[in-house]
Structures are given as structure tokens and as C-alpha cells.
Amino acid sequence: MSDEKFSRRSQNWFGQKGKNGFIYRERLRNQGYASDVFVDKPVIGIATTWSELNPCNAHLDRVAEAVKRGVWEAGGFPLEFPAMSLGETLMRPTTMLYRNLLAMEAEELIRANPLDAVVLLAGCDKTPPGLLMGAASVDLPTLMITGGPMLNGRYKGKTLGSGTAIWKYSDEMRSGKITQEEFFAMESCSARSNGSCMTMGTASTMACVTEALGVQLPGSAAIPAVDARRYSTSQEAGRRIVQMVHDDQRLSQVLTREAFENAIKVNAAIGGSTNAVVHLLAIAGRIGVDLKLEDFDRLARDVPVLVNLQPSGEFLMEEFFDAGGLPVVMKEIESLLHTGAITVSGKTVGENIAGAENYRPEVVTPFATPFQKAGSGIVVVKGSLAPDGAVLKVSAATPELMVHTGPAFVFENIDDFHAQKDDMNLAVTKDSILVLKNAGPKGFPGFPEVGNMAIPKKLLAEGVTDMVRISDARMSGTAYGTVVLHTSPEAAVGGPLALVKTGDMIELNVPNRALNLLVSDEELEKRRKEWKPLPPHAKRGWVKLYTEHVQQAHLGADLDFLVGNSGSEVPRDSH
Ligand code: FES
């Protein structure tokens, strides 16, 4: 590396006068850049997760062009680069197996290149947290733009919410209420444009949560993917990131303890996905904020659900945007927020939301007359079945099942469940509690969204539409039901879930935040001695690295050696 000292990070590459500077500048000039772009302009990396294999992100190339317009306008030098894209619908076995790989890739790309700041282009479920985790471990000035939701699905004059409709109509097809032809017809009507799921699933949740964290410009989370305003806000983001370099406004100044508390409260007010819990814990771990699973319960208890969106409610993201989007929600719960928290707009949360007006109070309900009362969001339950906790989304569950004790019916893994779910002689009743093992971070591996196990066919025929289900898995943000998720420690590491047998009584008591396995300590000790871990899932490659290092759900399921921050120091030069 040159001994020259530069005030701007990228000048360690482009400012060098000798051989190495020649190499850095000369090859980039093959793209036709004028020589003055290398003279002390802030270099803005645009990390894009564009991919045709990730339909939710397939328009991010156009978002990137809008960002570049803004960067050039403000006197910066934009350079777009790809980061792995994680498409929820196509990737197997589950995108969550790769969130940490994206985070690791993004971190190393940001640090290894001549960047002064980075704009993260994300969409679908896992690329927002994956990119943000990686960026947090470098801590440059950072701004995120999510791709926005699809237009509302429409079928025979009715609204179809992505994800949520599939759970409902696949059950209806299994029970013979609709035909295969009707099912196929819906398929062509539910994804009408570019963008992510337009329910308040995980993608919309993470878009709102990143806006609440202050890393996305105010008002931008809800803009539909194909709305012209998504591109104008992206241009503004391009201008803004250049100013953030001049101000040296780093990610760690935005991602503070206060910002995470705001995000947790906003997640409660929007009726957001349980997946936000795992992702926020992981992001906090990277930036060094001491966030705990219990914080999600404690901070959300006083927050009512204001947003009447599927899967908990009625409307979809287009209506949410019409209502005024997230600033309206934040304005309604302003008294509960840290309004002094600084955001990437350069303003505080309070300043960002000062002018917010609610244009559709049936979509974003007022604080005084909320869609669902306080405590209807995500709760954390603990007890002998989940010593480190488990989560449940009250707004998506059945009120009568919030206090329920019943006999377990155990599935050893998700294949076991699929093999038995249509058995009309399955020994389950509406009072049974379905228990699924080995679907946690290590067990599957990859922590899949299978916790909302379908109601067994026998019970569907009896008209049962919901029952208590418990697992170490996650659940899609578009799904619903009385579903206890993320049970920690998971079965694959020998957590109490591994010891449950069919017929054991289990107690769920949400008001008391309790989840207990009603089996004697002596019997559990006997079972623990007989328990054997699963054989390793892989002998090589990413899956081996992942399974050896992934942490439990209550810690955010990051890899143990990726927690924390290595900073943005300029790496050694090897030319
Ligand atoms: Fe990408 Fe739902 S599948 S957001």
C-alpha cells in the first residue's frame, strides 16, 4: 500500500500517483469514465440484489439507474455491483440457509472495494437483512432502498393477497371447496407487477422496519414497485448518500439502541412478521447493540396493531401507501417512539414524520381506536418447553386458543408431517397440539418457514380451521394461525422440544407468556439420556460451515464468528 495519506477512503485506490493508482484507474476507464471522476469524488457503491431468479427483485436494475442519477447530480461517482440474490419462491431448501452467506459476501465486497459509502438495493424477505448485516459489520455511510410491493392481486373482482391467499385456497382445494381449475386461474391473477408480496408479509415488514430503523428514506417503504415515486425517491437517495459521505454519517450513528426500539414498536403497530425478530437480533449483533428476545415482548406490550393489512387484516400494500404509508403509523405512535433518533434523511424521526397525514383511517387506524388492542403483535413465551423463548403472533392467531392445554401429536421432521397430514385416521382432535421437531436453524438445516403446518385433512373435514402448532421452525410473514415458532433451544441441539412424545400434555398460556411441557423432570431426564443427535447434514461446503456455526433463534441465527464489526479499514494492497 502507498504511504500517501488520504482523507477519503476511495482515494487510497484512485488517489495514488504511481503504478497502483494507474492500475485502479486505468481498468475502470474501460467503461468510458472521464478522468475527473477519480479526483476526490465520493465513490458510492450500489449493492444490488437484482436477479431474474428472484422475481421480487427483478426491477432493481431500474432502481439502480435512478440512484445513479442522484449520485452523479450530487457530485458522487456511482459504481453498481451484484450481491447474491435470495428469491423466496424458487430457492431450495430455504433462503434462510443463505441469509448469512449474503451478509458475509456483502461485508467483504464493501470492505475490499474503493467505496466511501454504499446504497443497498434489496427486496423480498432475506436480502434486506442480509445486506444490512453485512454493511453493519463495515460501518460506512449506508442507505437502503427496498424494491417495493407488487400491485394488489385481483381475481373475479376480489382482492388476492400474495402468500396469504395461497394458504387459504390450497386448504380449500384439499377439502374440495374449490376446483383445481379455479386454483390455477388464481395463479395468473395474483402477481400483477414487479415487486414483493403485497401483504404485510416479511418483505413488507422488513421494508417498514428498515424505514423505522432510519436506514431508508421516510415514506419510501410502501411505494409500489412500479410507481414512478419509487424511482424519484431512489434518485433522492442517490443525492442523499453523497451528502452522508460529506457529513461522515455512518451506519452506527443511525443503528442505535433507540433505532432498534423504534423498529420493534413499529413492527408491533404494523402487525409485522415474526421473521423481523430474528433479523433485527442479527443486525443488532453486527452493529454492537445489546438487543434481547425479551425486548420484543416488553417493548411491544403497549403498542396496538394499527395497520389493517393481510394476513392479520383486510387491506394490502397499495391501500397502505394510499393511506400515507409508514410515516402515518409512526405519527400515530409518536409518543412511544424515540423521536430524536437520527435517520439517513439527515433529520430526526420526529422531523421526518411531522407532516404525516392519514388519508385512509380504515387502513391505518387511529391510536385511540386501533384495529387490534395493545399486545396483539408478537409475544415471547418461555417455560420448560422453551427455556430460551419462542414467539407467537397474536394478531394472526385465534383468541380462544391463547390459553390452551392439550395432548401433543409429534412429527419428527417436516417429511414425517407431510407423510401423515392427509391420513384420515390420524389420532388427532381439535384439542391436539401439533409438534414439529428438527426444523430449526441447525436441524433442517436453514430454519425453514414450515411452522404453520397445514391442518390435518381429517380435522379440515370436521371444519377445524385453526389449532395450536409448536415448532422450532419459522413461519412465512404471509401466514396465520395459532403457531408457536422459533422454539429455543431447537430439537437438533437437544432442546426440550427433542424430548416431546405424542400424548404428552403441553400448556400454552399467552397472557402468562408460558409454554410448558407437563412431563416430570425424572421422565425428561430419562429421555434426555436416550436422545441422539442427528447425523451431520453435510461433509463439505457452505452447509457444513453453516451447521457448525449457526446460533440459535433467540440470538438471531447469525454465524457465531460473524457477530460483530470489523470496520472499514482499507485492506492491504497486493499489486
Ligand atoms: Fe418475495 Fe414474498 S416471495 S416477497
Side-chain angles (χ1 to χ4, degrees):
M1 178 150 46
S2 158
D3 290 335
E4 295 166 88
K5 291 275 176 266
F6 301 102
S7 59
R8 203 179 302 297
R9 188 173 185 273
S10 60
Q11 285 297 301
N12 287 282
W13 283 258
F14 300 138
Q16 289 193 42
K17 295 199 175 66
K19 172 188 65 113
N20 290 352
F22 176 97
I23 292 169
Y24 295 129
R25 293 184 300 270
E26 176 254 2
R27 198 47 57 94
L28 259 182
R29 292 182 75 166
N30 75 358
Q31 295 174 64
Y33 295 117
S35 56
D36 65 351
V37 302
F38 301 107
V39 184
D40 209 22
K41 278 187 188 300
V43 179
I44 310 298
I46 302 173
T48 179
T49 50
W50 169 89
S51 169
E52 289 179 339
L53 283 170
N54 183 355
C56 305
N57 291 16
H59 61 302
L60 291 184
D61 52 339
R62 279 170 281 140
V63 174
E65 291 309 313
V67 177
K68 286 181 202 169
R69 284 202 303 266
V71 172
W72 284 121
E73 257 185 304
F77 177 21
L79 289 168
E80 183 182 352
F81 64 96
M84 72 185 296
S85 198
L86 308 175
E88 212 60 32
T89 54
L90 300 180
M91 281 188 93
R92 292 180 175 189
T94 166
T95 50
M96 189 60 180
L97 180 60
Y98 303 108
R99 182 201 65 177
N100 301 335
L101 184 56
L102 165 61
M104 191 158 69
E105 184 202 23
E107 173 183 347
E108 299 304 328
L109 284 173
I110 294 168
R111 188 179 296 111
N113 279 295
L115 304 179
D116 298 307
V118 66
V119 176
L120 310 173
L121 302 190
C124 206
D125 294 10
K126 304 301 181 305
T127 63
L131 285 178
L132 202 49
M133 288 161 67
S137 288
V138 189
D139 196 21
L140 289 175
T142 302
L143 189 154
M144 173 164 278
I145 302 172
T146 50
M150 292 186 284
L151 298 176
N152 291 356
R154 303 290 299 161
Y155 174 69
K156 290 187 176 174
K158 281 194 260 165
T159 296
L160 282 185
S162 38
T164 301
I166 183 71
W167 309 121
K168 177 164 181 268
Y169 291 117
S170 59
D171 272 354
E172 290 196 355
M173 189 174 67
R174 284 173 68 225
S175 62
K177 283 192 191 150
I178 61 168
T179 64
Q180 179 81 65
E181 287 66 37
E182 286 174 286
F183 192 65
F184 283 156
M186 286 172 193
E187 178 184 308
S188 63
C189 304
S190 58
R192 291 174 51 226
S193 75
N194 286 141
S196 303
C197 290
M198 81 303 272
T199 45
M200 190 52 80
T202 305
S204 299
T205 297
M206 291 310 297
C208 290
V209 158
T210 53
E211 186 175 322
L213 281 171
V215 297
Q216 172 149 225
L217 287 180
S220 56
I223 307 173
V226 293
D227 192 300
R229 287 163 284 188
R230 175 145 302 283
Y231 299 89
S232 54
T233 203
S234 300
Q235 184 171 349
E236 284 168 28
R239 293 179 196 148
R240 182 62 210 148
I241 190 74
V242 175
Q243 188 58 43
M244 288 171 69
V245 176
H246 292 311
D247 298 344
D248 198 24
Q249 187 188 356
R250 290 174 185 256
L251 190 52
S252 55
Q253 291 162 22
V254 177
L255 290 182
T256 59
R257 169 87 202 176
E258 287 71 29
F260 282 96
E261 293 194 354
N262 284 345
I264 289 170
K265 290 175 180 177
V266 163
N267 191 47
I270 63 175
S273 163
T274 46
N275 287 318
V277 177
V278 183
H279 298 322
L280 282 170
L281 286 166
I283 297 164
R286 294 299 186 100
I287 206 77
V289 168
D290 182 24
L291 200 65
K292 299 268 191 297
L293 180 62
E294 294 73 15
D295 291 328
F296 287 80
D297 195 304
R298 184 177 58 79
L299 292 164
R301 273 188 191 228
D302 299 332
V303 185
V305 179
L306 302 183
V307 177
N308 181 4
L309 249 63
Q310 295 182 33
S312 304
E314 180 184 349
F315 298 103
L316 293 171
M317 287 298 283
E318 264 188 85
E319 286 88 26
F320 182 52
F321 180 55
D322 285 345
L326 195 69
V328 172
V329 178
M330 294 178 75
K331 184 80 183 158
E332 289 288 348
I333 62 167
E334 187 173 10
S335 61
L336 303 176
L337 297 178
H338 299 286
T339 50
I342 195 76
T343 73
V344 293
S345 71
K347 298 183 177 144
T348 63
V349 166
E351 289 168 331
N352 285 343
I353 63 176
E357 276 184 67
N358 189 349
Y359 304 113
R360 296 194 60 176
E362 77 279 20
V363 180
V364 180
T365 57
F367 187 80
T369 52
F371 169 55
Q372 290 181 333
K373 65 180 191 320
S376 300
I378 294 166
V379 298
V380 176
V381 290
K382 279 189 165 186
S384 60
L385 186 51
D388 291 328
V391 302
L392 177 142
K393 185 172 168 180
V394 176
S395 61
T398 300
E400 295 73 37
L401 291 171
M402 292 298 88
V403 178
H404 179 80
T405 299
F409 191 93
V410 174
F411 302 98
E412 289 301 320
N413 52 50
I414 193 63
D415 299 322
D416 184 25
F417 168 74
H418 287 306
Q420 298 195 63
K421 71 179 192 291
D422 289 343
D423 179 354
M424 296 305 277
N425 296 314
L426 201 68
V428 289
T429 72
K430 66 175 179 34
D431 296 325
S432 299
I433 293 181
L434 304 185
V435 173
L436 171 65
K437 301 179 183 179
N438 296 311
K442 276 187 204 284
F444 185 70
F447 207 6
E449 294 184 330
V450 296
N452 57 315
M453 290 167 275
I455 304 295
K457 198 168 185 175
K458 172 187 167 186
L459 298 177
L460 278 180
E462 294 171 14
V464 175
T465 55
D466 194 13
M467 61 194 301
V468 177
R469 290 157 268 180
I470 298 172
S471 72
D472 45 15
R474 294 180 303 118
M475 169 173 93
S476 164
T478 62
Y480 51 85
T482 307
V483 186
V484 178
L485 303 154
H486 312 181
T487 301
S488 186
E490 63 176 301
V493 299
L497 192 68
L499 310 179
V500 184
K501 290 190 173 175
T502 292
D504 289 349
M505 296 302 283
I506 292 176
E507 175 204 27
L508 172 68
N509 188 322
V510 172
N512 291 346
R513 303 296 194 259
L515 182 66
N516 289 308
L517 178 58
L518 305 179
V519 174
S520 70
D521 290 347
E522 297 72 37
E523 173 63 18
L524 286 179
E525 203 41 49
K526 189 167 136 257
R527 292 183 195 177
R528 187 164 284 114
K529 286 189 181 126
E530 289 164 3
W531 178 78
K532 289 194 178 53
L534 298 170
H537 287 282
K539 292 199 176 88
R540 62 171 300 282
W542 170 250
V543 175
K544 182 175 191 310
L545 185 70
Y546 170 91
T547 47
E548 287 175 358
H549 292 280
V550 70
Q551 296 185 310
Q552 288 296 286
H554 71 283
L555 299 173
D558 199 359
L559 301 195
D560 51 12
F561 63 88
L562 289 176
V563 172
N565 180 322
S566 299
S568 60
E569 196 173 324
V570 175
R572 283 195 297 169
D573 186 337
S574 60
H575 288 310

